[in-house]
Amino acid sequence: MNAKQPKRSPIRPDFLVIVIIILAAIGLYFFFTGMQPGNKNLTENELIENIENGYIASIKIEYVGGDNYDLWHLNGRYSDGNTPEGYRGFELYLYGSRLDKIHDVIDEYNESNPSTPVHATYLEHVTVDFWNIISTILLIAVPIVLVIFLFRSMTSQNNRAQQFTKNRARLSKGKPVKFSDVAGADEEKVEMAELIDFLKNPRKYQDMGARVPKGVLLVGSPGTGKTLLAKAVAGEANVPFFTISGSDFVELYVGVGASRVRDLFRVAKENAPCIIFVDEIDAVGRQRGAGLGGGNDEREQTLNQLLVEMDGFAPNLGIIIIAATNRPDVLDPALLRPGRFDRQIMMQIPDQRAREQILKVHAKNKKLDPDIKFSELAMRIPGFTGADIENLLNEGALLAARENRTIITIADLDEAADRVMMGPAKRSRKYTPKEKEMTAYHEAGHAVIGIKVKNASVVQKVTIIPRGRAGGYALYTPVEEKFNYSKNELLANITTSLGGRVAEEIMFDDVTTGAYDDFKRATKLARSMVTEYGMSELGPIQYESDSGNVFLGRDYLKEKNFSDAVALEIDREVRKIITECYETAKKVILENKDLLDNIAKYLILAETLNKSDIEEIVATGKLEWWDNREEEPLKDKKIANW
């Protein structure tokens, strides 16, 4: 994030420390160098005397003179045992006229003492002892480099420690999302448009004395478009949009989360007006003191800081916070009070009209068959969220590309819908003839109940192709989508779920495990009718509520709100509802056994029947497209042969 950095002094403290250490290193070098033994300054006569007495081992004679004079520098080493205390050698300077005498003295001594001669080295030009220079440079430079490296490492670690407490919000970039990219959420977009208008024209609201909500909480099931709507608000308002997840605040170390919250709001104030979007806020905003452990943990400190920043003593003008969650029931009440998240917007699962609009948005970049009707496709996918619909069209495109086709057909989308709901088809799984027949009658039983029972859902598709854990399935949708369902409609749904088991019992005098999921769904619905909806002889009393608490502490402390005697009555009422619906299903199937046989017969052969196929079988008892195919007609074959 492009946050404004605080101003620093022209001379940084760490730089001054480095300079001081460098100067100290140089001083120490010269100090210790000065403590080492040096050369003794001799006169010409002293040198001659030392040579004649055999005190000199070697002499190096270097020319250092200029243009108008000859000056020579002599330095050397004493022989063993003759070095004066406190010295390592000797040196002196002589003019060229005096150097000849030294030459003669050395020659005379060497002739008289061939076993211990004086080694003389003559240099006509000054030479530079590079090794001494390099060693001196290294002796000074190495400590300096080590000191600089040490301080840089310390500075880097300090910066990393500071970065650890920085917020991890990201500034949204790229192509902005607009409201036109969000379909099926008309009312929600109207609510959010007010925030956009405030960000663009804040004075209009201030003049009226109005306080725009500081925070908006988007609540809804996964995939309903909460994040997409927040992006659209930022795109329409054309203001900085910072995104962060609730889990990005919480860390192992205590205090880090609260520090990140402070840093986030500091940066937001510098970039106001702006929007902060916190996704999955329930990761940090869960109710305090709800668990079995202590309350003073890192997450609660982070939440406390978030509460203060949203509505504390310091105002946050021009900052709007949008958060998203699918678990509003676990959020802390202090987070939801006016002044923090003033407004909650419920993102509903799209109805049929909204699904049609979403299909059109996601189909813009897809090559679809012109004959596809989005209204009919939307009717066949009840309960699909925006994310499901996007995945549906993507799966359809993948299927078409896999078959090397250039256009997406309705068959591709139909298969894609089955994949999204149930998983890919397992065509390699082979039924035994008996299994196939029983599965066909099971699914046909669902279809017959859906066709013949009043208030039952409309049968859209029946198949015996295995998908996921199911050997087959029947897809039926409500006649019209509602907010509320009547008791008769719920009983019809239970009856439809039981139709498969009833068909097995009637036709084979035997049953299979294929009704497992049907019983689970029917029992859950029947129990809800008794304990939640007050649709039984126990009266309009709510014995249970679908609160969905996940707090361990609350689960341990949760008390039953009914006695054991009432629990027994609840079980009896649930059994009564299931039994009555089962008998209803048995009666309907016995009365429509011919229809059951016809649907099962064509299911065994075609394996999949759609709504128009079922309607044709109901009307004529036949399936023309199958009977008139090029292969041998079906009319003379009997179900017992399959």
Side-chain angles (χ1 to χ4, degrees):
M1 292 168 44
N2 298 325
K4 296 179 181 178
Q5 299 296 331
K7 294 183 179 180
R8 292 185 174 181
S9 172
I11 302 179
R12 294 173 52 181
D14 52 354
F15 178 76
L16 293 176
V17 173
I18 292 176
V19 171
I20 292 172
I21 292 179
I22 292 174
L23 293 176
I26 296 174
L28 288 174
Y29 168 75
F30 286 110
F31 174 76
F32 287 111
T33 302
M35 292 181 64
Q36 295 179 358
N39 293 326
K40 183 178 181 180
N41 293 319
L42 300 178
T43 64
E44 179 183 350
N45 294 330
E46 289 174 338
L47 176 60
I48 292 173
E49 182 179 352
N50 285 330
I51 294 173
E52 292 175 344
N53 293 331
Y55 295 164
I56 303 301
S58 64
I59 299 176
K60 184 168 64 174
I61 305 171
E62 298 178 333
Y63 176 73
V64 296
D67 296 334
N68 300 322
Y69 58 89
D70 293 329
L71 182 65
W72 297 80
H73 176 244
L74 286 71
N75 66 82
R77 295 288 183 269
Y78 291 97
S79 58
D80 294 340
N82 296 309
T83 304
E85 185 178 356
Y87 297 97
R88 62 179 181 179
F90 65 88
E91 65 178 342
L92 73 158
Y93 289 89
L94 292 176
Y95 288 103
S97 59
R98 308 301 300 170
L99 186 62
D100 293 337
K101 185 176 181 179
I102 300 299
H103 290 168
D104 295 338
V105 173
I106 293 174
D107 292 339
E108 291 177 1
Y109 177 81
N110 288 341
E111 289 178 1
S112 303
N113 301 279
S115 60
T116 57
V118 176
H119 299 282
T121 304
Y122 298 93
L123 302 174
E124 294 297 332
H125 301 284
V126 178
T127 60
V128 179
D129 192 342
F130 288 102
W131 288 113
N132 288 336
I133 296 175
I134 291 174
S135 62
T136 303
I137 293 175
L138 290 177
L139 190 61
I140 297 176
V142 169
I144 295 174
V145 172
L146 291 176
V147 169
I148 293 175
F149 177 79
L150 176 63
F151 269 83
R152 284 189 175 181
S153 178
M154 294 174 60
T155 303
S156 177
Q157 292 179 2
N158 187 39
N159 289 338
R160 283 197 296 268
Q162 292 179 356
Q163 289 296 328
F164 191 67
T165 59
K166 296 288 185 181
N167 75 84
R168 296 184 178 180
R170 295 165 293 278
L171 184 61
S172 181
K173 298 180 180 179
K175 183 180 179 181
V177 179
K178 300 293 185 179
F179 274 162
S180 58
D181 300 317
V182 183
D186 297 336
E187 293 81 4
E188 291 82 355
K189 287 190 287 188
V190 171
E191 290 285 334
M192 302 301 280
E194 184 178 71
L195 302 180
I196 298 172
D197 190 38
F198 168 74
L199 292 172
K200 291 182 177 179
N201 307 297
R203 185 171 297 277
K204 178 175 68 173
Y205 294 88
Q206 294 171 1
D207 292 342
M208 293 297 296
R211 179 182 62 81
V212 173
K214 295 183 179 180
V216 177
L217 182 65
L218 301 177
V219 180
S221 302
T224 50
K226 301 183 292 295
T227 304
L228 183 65
L229 182 60
K231 289 182 179 179
V233 172
E236 294 287 344
N238 193 26
V239 297
F241 184 71
F242 299 103
T243 63
I244 190 170
S245 172
S247 59
D248 287 335
F249 290 112
V250 182
E251 277 290 351
L252 173 65
Y253 305 107
V254 176
V256 173
S259 177
R260 289 177 178 173
V261 172
R262 287 190 293 269
D263 186 65
L264 173 62
F265 279 86
R266 177 187 63 80
V267 174
K269 292 175 183 177
E270 294 174 355
N271 292 273
C274 66
I275 295 174
I276 298 175
F277 177 62
V278 184
D279 201 7
E280 304 297 343
I281 195 173
D282 49 278
V284 70
R286 286 177 175 249
Q287 185 167 341
R288 292 165 290 183
L292 291 177
N296 190 25
D297 59 6
E298 163 66 0
R299 183 187 58 78
E300 293 194 0
Q301 290 189 33
T302 305
L303 175 58
N304 292 337
Q305 187 62 43
L306 180 62
L307 295 174
V308 172
E309 293 290 347
M310 290 187 68
D311 188 23
F313 284 102
N316 291 325
L317 298 178
I319 301 176
I320 292 180
I321 304 171
I322 302 176
T325 181
N326 51 22
R327 293 301 310 274
D329 54 308
V330 304
L331 296 180
D332 194 274
L335 200 61
L336 302 177
R337 72 158 175 83
R340 289 182 178 133
F341 284 112
D342 308 75
R343 186 174 297 177
Q344 294 188 30
I345 297 180
M346 180 65 66
M347 302 291 293
Q348 300 284 355
I349 293 178
D351 56 15
Q352 181 179 338
R353 184 184 63 84
R355 292 196 297 272
E356 182 179 350
Q357 295 176 356
I358 297 172
L359 281 167
K360 292 178 180 179
V361 169
H362 291 298
K364 289 179 179 179
N365 63 339
K366 303 288 191 302
K367 298 179 180 179
L368 296 175
D369 187 341
D371 294 334
I372 293 178
K373 296 180 180 179
F374 290 119
S375 58
E376 294 181 358
L377 181 59
M379 185 184 302
R380 297 168 63 179
I381 51 173
F384 272 43
T385 64
D388 292 331
I389 294 173
E390 188 277 334
N391 189 33
L392 166 69
L393 291 173
N394 185 64
E395 286 288 344
L398 293 175
L399 291 171
R402 190 179 303 165
E403 299 294 332
N404 297 319
R405 286 184 274 103
T406 59
I407 195 170
I408 303 172
T409 65
I410 188 63
D412 295 324
L413 297 180
D414 184 66
E415 171 66 17
D418 291 341
R419 281 172 169 264
V420 173
M421 289 188 293
M422 305 293 295
K426 298 181 179 179
R427 295 187 178 275
S428 61
R429 177 179 170 185
K430 300 298 182 182
Y431 283 117
T432 64
K434 183 69 172 180
E435 269 187 314
K436 190 171 186 179
E437 187 176 3
M438 293 190 75
T439 302
Y441 270 100
H442 180 103
E443 303 304 334
H446 289 306
V448 170
I449 299 298
I451 295 168
K452 295 298 182 178
V453 172
K454 185 179 180 182
N455 297 318
S457 298
V458 178
V459 179
Q460 296 287 347
K461 181 179 182 179
V462 183
T463 181
I464 59 172
I465 298 175
R467 290 183 183 272
R469 298 176 59 184
Y473 74 95
L475 173 64
Y476 29 84
T477 61
V479 178
E480 56 182 354
E481 297 183 28
K482 304 178 179 179
F483 285 105
N484 298 310
Y485 290 91
S486 67
K487 179 179 179 179
N488 289 331
E489 289 171 335
L490 297 180
L491 292 174
N493 287 338
I494 296 175
T495 305
T496 304
S497 298
L498 300 174
R501 167 57 69 86
V502 171
E504 292 177 4
E505 183 179 342
I506 291 175
M507 297 303 301
F508 303 98
D509 196 22
D510 195 5
V511 293
T512 68
T513 60
Y516 166 80
D517 193 60
D518 298 331
F519 292 158
K520 181 179 178 181
R521 184 168 55 252
T523 304
K524 181 179 179 181
L525 185 54
R527 188 170 186 86
S528 295
M529 292 177 63
V530 175
T531 61
E532 298 180 38
Y533 307 147
M535 295 180 177
S536 70
E537 294 183 1
L538 295 183
I541 302 174
Q542 189 178 61
Y543 296 99
E544 294 177 355
S545 61
D546 188 16
S547 59
N549 285 324
V550 294
F551 295 122
L552 183 62
R554 289 182 178 176
D555 286 341
Y556 275 110
L557 299 175
K558 186 177 180 181
E559 297 180 359
K560 292 168 50 177
N561 56 1
F562 52 84
S563 64
D564 292 339
V566 174
L568 180 61
E569 293 183 24
I570 290 174
D571 293 339
R572 287 174 178 172
E573 286 296 319
V574 172
R575 185 182 301 112
K576 179 181 178 182
I577 291 175
I578 297 293
T579 302
E580 290 178 353
C581 291
Y582 193 88
E583 293 300 323
T584 301
K586 183 181 292 187
K587 178 181 178 182
V588 172
I589 288 180
L590 287 173
E591 292 175 351
N592 297 275
K593 193 170 178 298
D594 291 340
L595 177 59
L596 179 72
D597 288 334
N598 285 334
I599 295 176
K601 176 178 64 176
Y602 284 104
L603 262 180
I604 292 174
L605 298 170
E607 294 188 334
T608 300
L609 302 176
N610 57 32
K611 181 181 178 182
S612 59
D613 295 334
I614 295 173
E615 290 175 348
E616 183 179 349
I617 294 173
V618 172
T620 65
K622 299 179 180 181
L623 190 58
E624 185 176 355
W625 69 267
W626 178 271
D627 293 343
N628 294 335
R629 73 195 194 288
E630 294 180 359
E631 300 178 8
E632 182 181 359
L634 175 69
K635 58 181 70 176
D636 295 331
K637 295 186 178 294
K638 295 183 179 180
I639 197 70
N641 297 330
W642 294 87

